[in-house]
Amino acid sequence: MSKKLFIETLGCAMNMRDSEHIIAELSRKESYTLTTTLEEADLIIINTCSVREKPVAKLFSEIGVFNKRKKAGAKIGVAGCTASHLGAEIIKRAPAVDFVLGARNVSKISEVVNQKHAVEVSTAFDETTYSFEEYRTNPLKAMVNISIGCNKSCTFCIVPATRGEEISIPSELLLQEIRKSVANGAKEVMLLGQNVNDYGKRFSTEQTPCNFTQLLQQISTIEGLERIRFTSPHPLHMDDAFLEEFASNPKICKQIHVPLQSGSTRILKQMRRGYTQENFLNRCAKIRRICPKATISTDIIVGFPGESEEDFDETMKVLEAVRFEQLFSFKYSPRPHTEAAQYTTQVDTKVAGTRLTRLQARHTEILDEIMEAQLGEIHTVYFDELKPNNRISGRSDDGKLFFVEGSEELLGQILPVKVTKTSRGALNGVVITLED
Ligand code: 5AD
Ligand code: SF4
């Protein structure tokens, strides 16, 4: 009988992909199959995130709960960024944990799983040429890591400490992986990395130079692949050649994440982001000019140490200027191993909370206006998930979530859809036939 694996994935898309790697490895080498019932599992893995403080605190209470609920003899493993960050301390604080596997060490899963109290958290480890078996949460959409780690030193961010230095995966391996996923049914690929458009600075093996723009060009020649998405690019590496490729390549989805973090040039400098408000607005204006149908999303942190009301107003100003379709906004959370955590100018958490509410409230108004204007519009939608009550969902080229009446025969199809009803989070529509 096969052993059962229960895996919980927190955090970002990189973690989701790492979980897929873990599942594939454990299935091939250790004959595990997935279960969604914790009590049934022989192995429980929590793939953690440490980007903010809350999920880290939650981890230890969760280990306690899982330990009570698990069947006798079942193992618990902690993987991901908190594993990298806390290492052996996790087992000290929670002896119920059997092994700790860092975010850069996922390829070692089958080694640690059978070793009591194994801790593999080296960030100097290089797994960029490691060949994982194919496992896709949704075979219609393949997530593919193009680089691991991060070479930036944003003063608020723990990721360079958890995922190590940036290294790119050789393009030939990426093309092979994407071709394989297309052969298995994927029409869409999501390229993943901390700073995808910094791709190609350093490879682990010899390789002809290839930057992100060139990689996009190569990937778009793959037959059967219809859509390319990527996350996250960094505003600093949005050169004209990259933005022009984004705008003109029909396979590249017209949705782009441009993480702002703060609208104040003074704060951006303290965050060590490498750009000013003006540079940022210039890049967004260029996107709007050469690709008017593109949607722009962003990340914003409020209450970074030293942020004054005037600094926060600058962030609001950028929100008004760009009118981001999607906003991921966070209250600054001091993280260990980061410079900003040492700053003596920490902002009162209530003040930060008020700013976050203001930012989100204004963004909600903008979003409502954007979505209401969608009524009657036509989008091409890739149907990728069946929903209850004879409904099916998918994403438009520019990333909007659609619900349409329909069943299996639509799954995996890319079709024109007319918007019949709008709401803040999603659009309802009907499939139409386009007249020539
Ligand atoms: N506090 C709050 N938000 C953070 N992020 C990264 N580090 C922190 C922190 N210390 C946010 C950034 C990043 C997103 C993934 O998480 O906005 O883009
Ligand atoms: Fe992803 Fe960053 Fe969280 Fe790690 S810390 S899981 S890289 S969001």
Side-chain angles (χ1 to χ4, degrees):
M1 225 176 74
S2 72
K3 293 172 279 183
K4 299 269 186 217
L5 164 69
F6 175 94
I7 186 160
E8 181 188 41
T9 308
L10 308 163
C12 63
M14 307 278 282
N15 260 23
M16 284 162 69
R17 182 60 186 144
D18 288 346
S19 286
E20 291 183 343
H21 285 326
I22 290 172
I23 295 164
E25 286 296 282
L26 288 178
S27 136
R28 179 166 65 117
K29 296 194 178 148
E30 301 288 328
S31 329
Y32 276 95
T33 54
L34 271 183
T35 176
T36 50
T37 311
L38 186 106
E39 288 76 5
E40 203 179 86
D42 301 285
L43 172 61
I44 296 163
I45 295 180
I46 312 173
N47 196 5
T48 59
C49 172
S50 57
V51 79
R52 281 168 294 277
E53 201 173 0
K54 253 197 203 149
V56 180
K58 213 182 111 195
L59 173 66
F60 288 97
S61 62
E62 193 158 59
I63 293 169
V65 172
F66 285 6
N67 192 37
K68 281 204 191 102
R69 283 176 54 194
K70 77 178 173 77
K71 72 177 182 193
K75 293 179 193 168
I76 299 181
V78 175
C81 286
T82 309
S84 312
H85 155 215
L86 295 177
E89 201 192 314
I90 296 181
I91 298 177
K92 252 198 226 153
R93 277 173 69 179
V97 171
D98 290 277
F99 63 86
V100 176
L101 183 69
R104 204 177 169 115
N105 310 82
V106 279
S107 60
K108 291 189 177 164
I109 180 65
S110 49
E111 289 169 40
V112 297
V113 77
N114 295 316
Q115 270 180 60
K116 186 74 182 162
H117 288 171
V119 178
E120 282 287 351
V121 294
S122 164
T123 51
F125 183 61
D126 169 29
E127 56 181 12
T128 53
T129 54
Y130 190 86
S131 163
F132 293 92
E133 274 304 290
E134 174 98 357
Y135 173 82
R136 307 279 171 198
T137 312
N138 183 343
L140 298 174
K141 293 191 292 184
M143 291 184 282
V144 172
N145 280 352
I146 66 163
S147 57
I148 59 174
C150 177
N151 270 2
K152 302 265 179 277
S153 46
C154 301
T155 55
F156 54 79
C157 189
I158 197 170
V159 174
T162 63
R163 289 194 179 260
E165 273 180 36
E166 182 181 276
I167 185 157
S168 299
I169 297 170
S171 56
E172 202 36 59
L173 292 182
L174 296 175
L175 293 168
Q176 268 173 33
E177 186 184 343
I178 298 168
R179 281 194 205 103
K180 199 164 155 192
S181 71
V182 170
N184 289 335
K187 286 184 182 163
E188 181 177 305
V189 66
M190 169 72 100
L191 308 175
L192 300 176
Q194 294 301 330
N195 297 299
V196 279
N197 52 345
D198 198 31
Y199 177 84
K201 293 276 155 57
R202 183 166 73 98
F203 292 100
S204 51
T205 52
E206 243 183 66
Q207 130 109 46
T208 34
C210 178
N211 64 24
F212 187 56
T213 304
Q214 290 161 330
L215 180 71
L216 288 170
Q217 286 161 349
Q218 288 179 27
I219 292 174
S220 60
T221 63
I222 295 176
E223 236 171 272
L225 180 71
E226 312 231 2
R227 286 181 159 197
I228 304 169
R229 297 188 189 277
F230 50 83
T231 199
S232 289
H234 193 292
L236 198 59
H237 305 297
M238 291 195 175
D239 53 50
D240 285 352
F242 161 65
L243 290 183
E244 276 150 24
E245 185 65 29
F246 168 76
S248 63
N249 186 328
K251 287 197 180 178
I252 300 180
C253 290
K254 301 302 176 249
Q255 175 190 23
I256 188 161
H257 190 66
V258 195
L260 170 66
Q261 311 302 359
S262 168
S264 154
T265 297
R266 196 181 74 85
I267 295 293
L268 285 169
K269 197 159 180 210
Q270 281 162 27
M271 289 177 159
R272 212 180 289 120
R273 290 290 292 170
Y275 53 85
T276 59
Q277 181 197 83
E278 195 188 354
N279 302 147
F280 184 92
L281 289 174
N282 170 287
R283 294 296 79 190
C284 291
K286 169 121 191 165
I287 297 168
R288 295 275 191 235
R289 191 166 65 246
I290 65 174
C291 193
K293 61 183 177 185
T295 57
I296 304 180
S297 57
T298 201
D299 288 346
I300 291 176
I301 298 176
V302 300
F304 181 83
E307 184 187 72
S308 64
E309 279 304 311
E310 291 71 34
D311 291 317
F312 176 67
D313 287 342
E314 294 297 297
T315 298
M316 292 296 283
K317 205 166 106 186
V318 177
L319 174 68
E320 294 301 336
V322 184
R323 292 173 64 85
F324 302 101
E325 278 81 358
Q326 246 187 316
L327 165 68
F328 302 92
S329 51
F330 316 98
K331 214 163 48 153
Y332 169 73
S333 167
R335 308 305 298 122
H337 317 297
T338 61
E339 250 182 83
Q342 324 295 323
Y343 294 170
T344 52
T345 48
Q346 303 292 320
V347 170
D348 182 84
T349 167
K350 269 201 200 122
V351 172
T354 311
R355 289 179 192 164
L356 187 64
T357 308
R358 245 180 84 195
L359 178 74
Q360 290 175 340
R362 179 61 193 129
H363 178 254
T364 301
E365 288 172 2
I366 292 173
L367 184 62
D368 282 344
E369 286 166 19
I370 292 171
M371 294 304 255
E372 276 158 26
Q374 288 296 317
L375 197 65
E377 291 290 310
I378 295 166
H379 288 271
T380 44
V381 175
Y382 180 33
F383 292 105
D384 56 34
E385 219 179 306
L386 286 173
K387 295 282 170 191
N389 305 325
N390 202 34
R391 288 192 324 157
I392 185 161
S393 70
R395 297 255 168 203
S396 59
D397 180 272
D398 66 358
K400 293 185 174 66
L401 178 62
F402 269 79
F403 290 94
V404 163
E405 230 170 78
S407 54
E408 253 142 305
E409 73 278 2
L410 292 182
L411 209 56
Q413 293 208 52
I414 300 176
L415 295 167
V417 173
K418 188 172 186 169
V419 178
T420 51
K421 194 169 156 236
T422 72
S423 74
R424 193 174 297 154
L427 298 168
N428 285 33
V430 286
V431 175
I432 57 162
T433 321
L434 284 182
E435 307 289 325
D436 282 342

